[in-house]
Amino acid sequence: MALVAREAGVRTQVVIVGAGPAGLLLGRLLEQAGIDAVILERRSRDYVLSRIRAGVLEAGSVALLERVGLATRMHAEGLVHDGCSLAFDGDVQRIDFQALTGRSVMVYGQTEVTRDLMDARDASGGVTVYEAADVVLHGFDGAHPRVGYRRDGVAHEIACDFIAGCDGFRGVSRASIPPAALDVAERVYPFGWLGVLVDQPPAAHELIYASHARGFALSSMRSPTRSRYYLQVPSDETAEAWSDAAFWDELRRRLPPAAAAALRTGPSIEKSVAPLRSFVAEPLRFGRLFLAGDAAHIVPPTGAKGLNLALADVARLAQGFAEYYAEGSSAGIDAYSAAALRRIWKAERFSWWMTSLLHRFPDTDAFGRRIQRAEFDYLAGSTAAATALAENYTGLPM
Ligand code: RFL
Ligand code: PHB
């Protein structure tokens, strides 16, 4: 493997921890800027590709993947969506992204984005160490960071100029920063999403976000023949507690009537519960360690922002590294945290707002439900309100 040869040097410019979308895109951007990087990933390649996650790319994420030369399969297989629908107790309101903002989104699964990034890295000979166990970050508060790990029981260490912590919410990078150096803001929601993947055509051509007295439901898709559905469930619910039949019955109740009638069911090929959380740890830098993506922030999936935020973070970080190595200027890496956080907090706000509008909370009383209804009616009747939703959903400027 290429690593063994490169291991002799045991030095690179940037060590990237984590081969999710953030780490892999950063690797691609650095490679294009002529910057040497090694990616260390705790899991196997197949495991990373087996995780079913995000489905929606903002217009800016699409442009970014085009810029790094990874858009061919996305344009061939992805589905361009010019709008989506919101439903409230069966009433449906379409939000026309194109008419309101001139932009669309792309339905192309995170698994596919990840696969495209992995394939490109393999083709260019970039080093990714999968199944890197016990990753430990050293010396990042000084001038000479090092990253240790074990592979097949053998200890390795890489010296570098910078470490990029792209290792997700439960990774080692954020946990390595002294807690007193981070400000954490968090909200844990009292419910999760039970997701099901099924090889059947979707119930509707566009996504439907449905608010129902029994709880939220989402009709989404991965392709014209593969659908993805979600139900709001209590946070302590397990996927095993739901038979396929129970899932389809409950989904039919919560979706608006036309979609419920069009729903095509079948055996689930994946079923899991994801908790809902809002979380930001700031700043995104400690010495020579930079955090990006889920390692630094989490949004509830309602606004479809998590993957997109991760891509936007690393686009900005890569620009900073490129300026550092090409011009000897640290202005870009110095500005990274504050600039990224301004955008992150807007996405946090939007995701929290979409979640509040559409879910049933344990304390949603008659007043709360009527306020949610009024918000829905306002969206339906006001171009300004609908435009605000469409502008955020299709993506604020990177
Ligand atoms: P990831 O994808 O979690 O990747 C982090 C990688 O780091 C590895 N790792 C380590 N490697 C080495 N050493 C360690 N100690 C390590 N610890 C962890 C992990 O194995 C992993 O490979 O983070 P990244 O790259 O920041 O990407 C973030 C996105 O994955 C995430 O925000 C989205 O999936 C969120 N999300 C959605 N985002 C959207 O933009 N649109 C959506 O429609 C959307 N839907 C979703 C979602 C997330 C969901 N779940 C399950 C959380 C739907 C769901 C159900
Ligand atoms: C998905 O298809 O998995 C998906 C789509 C939109 C969201 C969240 C998840 O807001």
Side-chain angles (χ1 to χ4, degrees), residues 206-242:
E206 293 179 342
L207 273 63
I208 304 172
Y209 291 84
S211 174
H212 188 277
R214 297 175 63 89
F216 170 77
L218 171 61
S219 169
S220 180
M221 67 199 73
R222 288 291 176 277
S223 75
T225 57
R226 181 169 281 194
S227 310
R228 179 73 166 156
Y229 298 105
Y230 296 96
L231 287 177
Q232 175 187 351
V233 295
S235 26
D236 55 2
E237 199 88 311
T238 62
E240 294 71 42
W242 286 77

Side-chain angles (χ1 to χ4, degrees), residues 232-378:
Q232 175 187 351
V233 295
S235 26
D236 55 2
E237 199 88 311
T238 62
E240 294 71 42
W242 286 77
S243 66
D244 285 1
F247 182 90
W248 299 126
D249 284 349
E250 187 60 24
L251 185 64
R252 253 187 232 101
R253 284 193 199 105
R254 297 189 193 180
L255 288 179
L263 180 66
R264 305 257 298 261
T265 64
S268 62
I269 49 179
E270 199 263 357
K271 196 190 283 164
S272 55
V273 177
L276 263 67
R277 181 193 300 270
S278 298
F279 174 96
V280 181
E282 50 189 304
L284 307 182
R285 175 183 188 175
F286 186 87
R288 287 177 169 256
L289 167 62
F290 294 82
L291 301 178
D294 279 16
H297 45 76
I298 295 288
V299 286
T302 327
K305 289 282 157 258
L307 165 62
N308 293 291
L309 273 183
L311 300 180
D313 283 359
V314 297
R316 195 181 292 276
L317 183 57
Q319 181 61 36
F321 285 142
E323 284 170 26
Y324 178 86
Y325 285 109
E327 301 158 24
S329 163
S330 58
I333 55 175
D334 289 345
Y336 165 70
S337 177
L341 281 164
R342 271 193 293 279
R343 189 173 186 282
I344 289 161
W345 272 109
K346 289 178 195 155
E348 290 283 344
R349 182 206 70 82
F350 176 67
S351 305
W352 161 84
W353 173 79
M354 282 274 280
T355 303
S356 311
L357 168 67
L358 294 166
H359 289 75
R360 184 194 160 89
F361 288 71
D363 59 353
T364 303
D365 55 7
F367 180 81
R369 191 72 186 141
R370 291 294 282 129
I371 291 291
Q372 287 178 324
R373 175 79 213 191
E375 185 102 43
F376 175 82
D377 289 345
Y378 179 47

Side-chain angles (χ1 to χ4, degrees), residues 17-24 40-43 47-48 51-57 110 132-135 166-173 193 195 209 222 228 230 272-275 292-295 297-299 301 303-310 393:
V17 187
L24 286 164
L40 300 179
E41 165 60 49
R42 182 165 58 125
R43 303 288 194 172
Y47 183 94
V48 172
R51 291 191 293 232
I52 309 295
R53 289 190 169 175
V56 179
L57 294 173
Q110 176 168 333
D134 304 332
V135 169
C166 301
D167 47 351
F169 185 61
R170 303 197 180 281
V172 66
S173 298
W193 280 16
Y209 291 84
R222 288 291 176 277
R228 179 73 166 156
Y230 296 96
S272 55
V273 177
D294 279 16
H297 45 76
I298 295 288
V299 286
K305 289 282 157 258
L307 165 62
N308 293 291
L309 273 183
Y393 195 91

Side-chain angles (χ1 to χ4, degrees), residues 42 70 77 87 95 205 265 339 341 345 389:
R42 182 165 58 125
L70 285 176
E77 297 176 17
I95 307 289
H205 292 303
T265 64
L341 281 164
W345 272 109
L389 193 160

Side-chain angles (χ1 to χ4, degrees), residues 5-205:
R6 296 269 288 277
E7 188 74 38
V10 284
R11 178 168 178 83
T12 188
Q13 289 171 304
V14 181
V15 169
I16 300 171
V17 187
L24 286 164
L25 179 65
L26 181 60
R28 177 73 176 175
L29 288 161
L30 294 185
E31 180 195 322
Q32 293 192 324
I35 299 167
D36 201 37
V38 171
I39 301 181
L40 300 179
E41 165 60 49
R42 182 165 58 125
R43 303 288 194 172
S44 69
R45 183 190 163 108
D46 286 348
Y47 183 94
V48 172
L49 286 174
S50 72
R51 291 191 293 232
I52 309 295
R53 289 190 169 175
V56 179
L57 294 173
E58 295 173 356
S61 299
V62 170
L64 188 53
L65 292 169
E66 285 168 351
R67 176 149 75 81
V68 297
L70 285 176
T72 310
R73 200 165 69 93
M74 174 179 72
H75 283 305
E77 297 176 17
L79 307 171
V80 175
H81 282 203
D82 293 338
C84 75
S85 288
L86 266 53
F88 199 96
D89 289 344
D91 295 340
V92 180
Q93 175 62 38
R94 180 170 187 265
I95 307 289
D96 189 330
F97 303 148
Q98 262 300 329
L100 295 165
T101 68
R103 293 198 302 259
S104 304
V105 295
M106 175 78 81
V107 172
Y108 189 62
Q110 176 168 333
T111 309
E112 308 312 321
V113 174
T114 305
R115 191 188 304 280
D116 292 345
L117 285 162
M118 284 176 170
D119 289 351
R121 190 163 178 85
D122 289 349
S124 64
V127 180
T128 308
V129 183
Y130 289 97
E131 297 176 77
D134 304 332
V135 169
V136 189
L137 318 186
H138 302 285
F140 52 86
D141 52 347
H144 304 290
R146 292 167 292 121
V147 181
Y149 66 97
R150 299 179 73 80
R151 174 83 218 252
D152 298 330
V154 180
H156 301 266
E157 192 172 88
I158 308 177
C160 56
D161 300 330
F162 299 104
I163 303 169
C166 301
D167 47 351
F169 185 61
R170 303 197 180 281
V172 66
S173 298
R174 192 182 72 253
S176 303
I177 298 175
L182 287 177
D183 279 331
V184 171
E186 181 172 32
R187 181 157 300 185
V188 178
Y189 300 87
F191 41 75
W193 280 16
L194 171 65
V196 156
L197 194 65
V198 63
D199 273 328
Q200 288 288 349
H205 292 303

